[in-house]
Amino acid sequence: QLRSTAFKLVGIMIVGAAVVLTAYAIKSKQKAEANKGRPPITAKISRNFAAKNQAGKLVATYDLEGKVWFAVPVCVGQLEENRYALAMMREIADHYSDNDDLRFVAISVEGADLEVGPAQLKSAMEQLGIEDERWWFLTTGETGKQRGYLKDQLRLGIVSERAAGDPAGKWKFPSQIALIDRGMHIRQRYDFREAEEFQHAAQKKLREEPQLRNSERFQAALNAVEELKKTLYANTDFVLSETKTGSQE
């Protein structure tokens, strides 16, 4: 009888463990599905950046805490240089046109010491057709301060000077867009210029080797821009729905 009782207890334990493991597996699957599109936590912005916007108003990046925002470098005299990133920023703004939790920040690679002030920023926005109040184009009196913030805080790379007379323009600067969450964490960076170039290279290769069309991986290369957009929107939707950094629970 004791042996029978012991077997029953073992059986109950096994069944109980199976139920727990099944429940855990279901919960894990649900969590994995819920976390689909979750971008990594790359770094935390640790320094404020005070600047004047296109209206000449003094604002600061710390004012954006509690908002989800995108950041990009801009050169008012070389808008073509960063056309892919700026076009994507406008597309994102249109996609989330009714969402007041989003902000869009373009930091000039030139400051007022290089004759780029609020008036020049406003003119650039007009050229780009941007009227959305969620946008800031920013400048300060110190070009070095702006470039330092782009490099060290937003992790968007460096600005360098091209050789005199280069038809591409005086400044070479990064084309990436940064996604920043409500807690001022950089969650991801996206380079649509690189994706566009990669896609064009894939199209050229396909003309040379048509058989590549049957390759699934090559298909992804042929649609590099669209694939990057899908990632960006999935990441943005996740961050907008977060209840705390990195989680929607």
Side-chain angles (χ1 to χ4, degrees):
Q1 189 174 355
L2 287 172
R3 182 178 294 178
S4 177
T5 302
F7 282 140
K8 288 179 181 178
L9 288 172
V10 170
I12 292 170
M13 289 171 66
I14 291 171
V15 171
V19 170
V20 170
L21 288 171
T22 301
Y24 178 78
I26 293 171
K27 185 177 180 180
S28 296
K29 183 180 179 182
Q30 291 173 338
K31 187 173 182 180
E33 290 174 352
N35 287 338
K36 186 178 180 181
R38 179 176 65 179
I41 300 169
T42 305
K44 183 175 175 65
I45 295 173
S46 60
R47 200 172 78 234
N48 191 28
F49 177 72
K52 284 188 177 180
N53 68 8
Q54 65 275 9
K57 180 181 178 181
L58 185 63
V59 297
T61 50
Y62 275 6
D63 296 338
L64 299 171
E65 193 162 2
K67 299 288 187 181
V68 174
W69 52 291
F70 289 92
V72 67
V74 67
C75 179
V76 299
Q78 295 175 218
L79 294 177
E80 184 69 11
E81 174 94 7
N82 213 16
R83 65 187 183 277
Y84 298 115
L86 291 169
M88 192 62 220
M89 289 274 280
R90 295 199 303 274
E91 182 177 319
I92 299 165
D94 290 342
H95 183 83
Y96 296 101
S97 59
D98 297 327
N99 195 322
D100 194 50
D101 282 339
L102 277 172
R103 292 292 184 271
F104 303 89
V105 178
I107 296 179
S108 174
V109 301
E110 300 169 300
D113 54 331
L114 291 179
E115 301 182 350
V116 175
Q120 288 72 34
L121 299 180
K122 185 176 181 181
S123 177
M125 290 182 70
E126 289 171 352
Q127 290 179 59
L128 293 167
I130 298 171
E131 299 178 353
D132 193 330
E133 293 182 356
R134 296 175 299 171
W135 282 77
W136 284 348
F137 271 50
L138 302 179
T139 189
T140 72
E142 302 175 48
T143 294
K145 177 182 176 181
Q146 292 161 216
R147 296 180 182 182
Y149 199 80
L150 285 166
K151 179 175 74 74
D152 300 327
Q153 293 295 308
L154 295 177
R155 312 293 178 92
L156 286 174
I158 62 173
V159 179
S160 58
E161 188 171 357
R162 292 192 175 102
D166 192 315
K170 183 175 183 178
W171 306 115
K172 181 179 180 181
F173 56 95
S175 62
Q176 296 184 86
I177 298 171
L179 168 62
I180 298 103
D181 67 20
R182 290 182 174 88
M184 304 297 278
H185 301 94
I186 299 169
R187 300 300 296 273
Q188 191 58 279
R189 292 181 296 273
Y190 312 89
D191 193 333
F192 282 90
R193 180 168 63 193
E194 182 181 74
E196 190 78 32
E197 291 170 352
F198 190 64
Q199 185 168 295
H200 281 313
Q203 291 167 348
K204 181 181 178 182
K205 189 69 175 176
L206 182 64
R207 288 193 292 271
E208 297 169 355
E209 300 180 44
Q211 69 275 15
L212 289 172
R213 185 178 296 277
N214 299 321
S215 167
E216 187 175 335
R217 288 186 178 181
F218 198 76
Q219 282 297 322
L222 286 171
N223 296 286
V225 174
E226 194 59 37
E227 291 299 318
L228 188 56
K229 285 184 183 182
K230 287 178 183 178
T231 299
L232 182 149
Y233 284 126
N235 291 165
T236 305
D237 287 340
F238 189 97
V239 172
L240 284 168
S241 300
E242 285 181 337
T243 53
K244 61 181 179 179
T245 302
S247 176
Q248 295 178 326
E249 295 181 352

